[in-house]
Amino acid sequence: MKRLLIDGQLVETERTVDSINPATGEVVGTAAEATVEQVEAAVKAARRAFDTTDWSTNVEFRVRCLNQLHEALVKHLEEFRELTIAEVGHPRMITDGPALTDPVNLVKYYADLAAGYSFTQDLGVVEARGGQHRRWIEREPAGVVSAIVAYNYPTQLALAKLAPALAAGCTVVLKGAPDTPLLALALGELILNETDIPAGVVNVVTAVDVEAAEVLTTHRDVDLITFTGSTAVGRRIMAAASDTVKKVFLELGGKSALILLDDADLDLSAMIAAFTICSHSGQGCAITSRLVVPREKHDAVVEKVAAMMGNIKVGDPTDPATYMGPLISEKQREKVDSIVQRAIAAGATLVTGGKKIEPGFFYEPTLLANVDPDSEIAQEEIFGPVLVVIPHDGDDDAVAIANNSIFGLSGGVVSPDQERALGVARRIRSGTISVNGGNYFSPDAPFGGYKQSGIGRESGIAGLEEFLEIKTIATPA
């Protein structure tokens, strides 16, 4: 059984939760499940470590510990890879990117950034009230952080929160997702056994029970909440945090649009659209799940995307040739299938897919054409391998369709005229945009959304500064 990490100790519990392999339906392993009292103990440990040790002020020590964590992750990379494939259903090829190796590199990025970051900024001397005054800014850690992650990229999400928070000098209580608890707890074991991170600086818990999880959003000793998950849960976290006016950093849902302009290469566009929606079975908040195409090219695009989907290898995630694995659970598969069937009943055309694949929790790559831009399936985040095609009548109409959403996380534009494509991209209200397949995902590139896709940015310098407060100090010159 994987145990909780609380105040430098691995803690067993009476309650446990099984982690299920989504490709087979079999049990991968058992994780401890925290009680309300244990989550409170984790917060108390983080508070003590922040208030009574030099963690928050000793940058050199923090850098050394982050480098140790990076080295430990590299050392145990293959163990984490196999656990990631088994617990999350990530195909092996994706573990060489955003599922594992990219977030491991992110730890090293933040170690190096902290080493060279200026936590002070001189504002110079100003004359005021008949005297000279020297002013400067000091950037200080925000305090105790509750980091709550989703199931889709659990290691990436955990490290994208832990690394900058630790680099900033915060202490953390990390809560793993109920569907993927083993990876979070394995990370806790690694921190305990192979780094000098002091007791209480990092605590790792899992909690299926809502009351236990809510401690991390309401406890008065938590200063900042960083959450990745659905917009619906993000709203509830904001409400829960409001009583104590906590700083809230949210990375939420998306319904991103890939726009094809009228001069777009249809083969390139079909490849981008098909492979993007099938990446991790569509379980990605930034995935472009709406394909917005010139009306006169709608049918041609649909035919090419359907053919491309037919060439995608779906199956055993342990097979290096597999591109698309399963959905995380039967509950998620039922949700995906239900919304697809409602869309068909409402008038959307099913071109390909729309069926479950047994065994495990697989779902066919699915393409729906002639979709109403205001319909449920064009507006709601699905988190499955379901692409909807919406016709547009020119650039202005395409932009209007893309912006017709409560979300604003990502998007894409395809056109051989890059300046024209950039002009369209700049009009889309979202935090990230890919032009002609460009990849923005990297440790130094800020990631986050507009509108109800979230508040704040992960990665880059912006990601570090989410975990810092600004203090202005003045003295007589």
Side-chain angles (χ1 to χ4, degrees), residues 140-176:
E140 301 176 341
V144 174
V145 172
S146 67
I148 306 168
V149 303
Y151 67 77
N152 56 332
Y153 287 87
T155 300
Q156 188 274 327
L157 296 172
L159 293 177
K161 298 178 187 306
L162 270 179
L166 297 178
C170 295
T171 59
V172 183
V173 180
L174 170 69
K175 189 184 89 67

Side-chain angles (χ1 to χ4, degrees), residues 18-20 22 31 83-84 87-89 149-155 175-185 206 328:
D18 288 337
S19 178
I20 305 300
L83 182 55
T84 298
E87 185 171 46
V88 192
V149 303
Y151 67 77
N152 56 332
Y153 287 87
T155 300
K175 189 184 89 67
D179 286 313
T180 54
L182 300 180
L183 281 163
L185 298 182
T206 55
I328 192 65

Side-chain angles (χ1 to χ4, degrees), residues 33 39 84 101 105 151 153 159 171 226 235 260 292 357 397 413:
E33 183 184 349
V39 178
T84 298
T101 56
N105 293 335
Y151 67 77
Y153 287 87
L159 293 177
T171 59
T226 172
R235 294 186 193 114
L260 311 191
V292 183
I357 304 172
D397 188 43
V413 184

Side-chain angles (χ1 to χ4, degrees), residues 139-460:
R139 290 180 170 84
E140 301 176 341
V144 174
V145 172
S146 67
I148 306 168
V149 303
Y151 67 77
N152 56 332
Y153 287 87
T155 300
Q156 188 274 327
L157 296 172
L159 293 177
K161 298 178 187 306
L162 270 179
L166 297 178
C170 295
T171 59
V172 183
V173 180
L174 170 69
K175 189 184 89 67
D179 286 313
T180 54
L182 300 180
L183 281 163
L185 298 182
L187 183 59
E189 288 184 3
L190 198 70
I191 289 169
L192 176 66
N193 294 329
E194 303 206 22
T195 78
D196 293 326
I197 294 175
V201 169
V202 177
N203 306 270
V204 184
V205 299
T206 55
V208 177
D209 179 70
V210 173
E211 187 179 359
E214 284 180 345
V215 171
L216 294 176
T217 65
T218 59
H219 200 292
R220 69 177 187 177
D221 283 337
V222 171
D223 299 297
L224 183 152
I225 303 168
T226 172
F227 167 76
T228 297
S230 72
T231 293
V233 175
R235 294 186 193 114
R236 293 201 293 272
I237 286 174
M238 285 189 73
S242 66
D243 282 348
T244 48
V245 197
K246 301 185 191 306
K247 187 175 182 180
V248 178
F249 169 25
L250 305 173
E251 201 274 282
L252 306 176
K255 191 68 179 180
S256 303
L258 175 61
I259 295 175
L260 311 191
L261 302 186
D262 56 20
D263 56 358
D265 181 315
L266 299 192
D267 291 320
L268 171 65
S269 302
M271 180 182 71
I272 294 171
F275 279 87
T276 299
I277 196 63
C278 292
S279 177
H280 192 26
S281 298
Q283 297 172 113
C285 51
I287 282 175
T288 45
S289 54
R290 293 183 293 159
L291 182 58
V292 183
V293 305
R295 188 175 301 277
E296 65 276 12
K297 296 184 178 180
H298 175 279
D299 294 349
V301 171
V302 166
E303 182 179 351
K304 287 180 180 293
V305 174
M308 194 68 67
M309 282 183 166
N311 291 327
I312 290 174
K313 181 174 174 57
V314 181
D316 181 3
T318 66
D319 183 345
T322 295
Y323 182 78
M324 188 181 114
L327 294 167
I328 192 65
S329 65
E330 180 59 26
K331 178 181 178 182
Q332 180 61 21
R333 184 167 68 166
E334 285 294 337
K335 175 188 173 183
V336 171
D337 188 57
S338 294
I339 196 170
V340 168
Q341 301 311 320
R342 289 198 299 272
I344 295 168
T349 302
L350 177 64
V351 179
T352 188
K355 295 179 182 177
K356 301 176 183 179
I357 304 172
E358 307 291 349
F361 310 133
F362 294 87
Y363 199 78
E364 291 181 340
T366 299
L367 181 64
L368 294 166
N370 296 301
V371 171
D372 180 344
D374 294 318
S375 63
E376 177 194 34
I377 203 162
Q379 292 291 320
E380 296 293 325
E381 185 176 44
I382 301 172
F383 241 54
V386 180
L387 181 67
V388 301
V389 185
I390 302 170
H392 73 75
D393 296 307
D395 294 7
D396 290 346
D397 188 43
V399 170
I401 291 170
N403 288 335
N404 176 31
S405 173
I406 65 169
F407 302 111
L409 187 56
S410 192
V413 184
V414 182
S415 169
D417 185 340
Q418 183 155 301
E419 286 306 309
R420 180 186 175 196
L422 286 170
V424 170
R426 291 185 176 111
R427 296 167 63 192
I428 298 172
R429 299 285 295 166
S430 68
T432 53
I433 292 285
S434 169
V435 174
N436 293 322
N439 179 28
Y440 51 76
F441 190 79
S442 63
D444 61 343
F447 175 82
Y450 291 15
K451 299 189 281 186
Q452 293 187 41
S453 283
I455 301 170
R457 293 294 182 270
E458 281 186 342
S459 298

Side-chain angles (χ1 to χ4, degrees), residues 2-43:
K2 292 289 186 185
R3 294 170 289 177
L4 313 176
L5 175 63
I6 299 176
D7 204 9
Q9 300 291 324
L10 294 178
V11 179
E12 294 186 359
T13 62
E14 292 184 2
R15 297 191 301 184
T16 61
V17 58
D18 288 337
S19 178
I20 305 300
N21 185 326
T24 66
E26 299 173 351
V27 175
V28 178
T30 302
E33 183 184 349
T35 63
V36 169
E37 292 75 20
Q38 286 167 328
V39 178
E40 290 175 341
V43 173

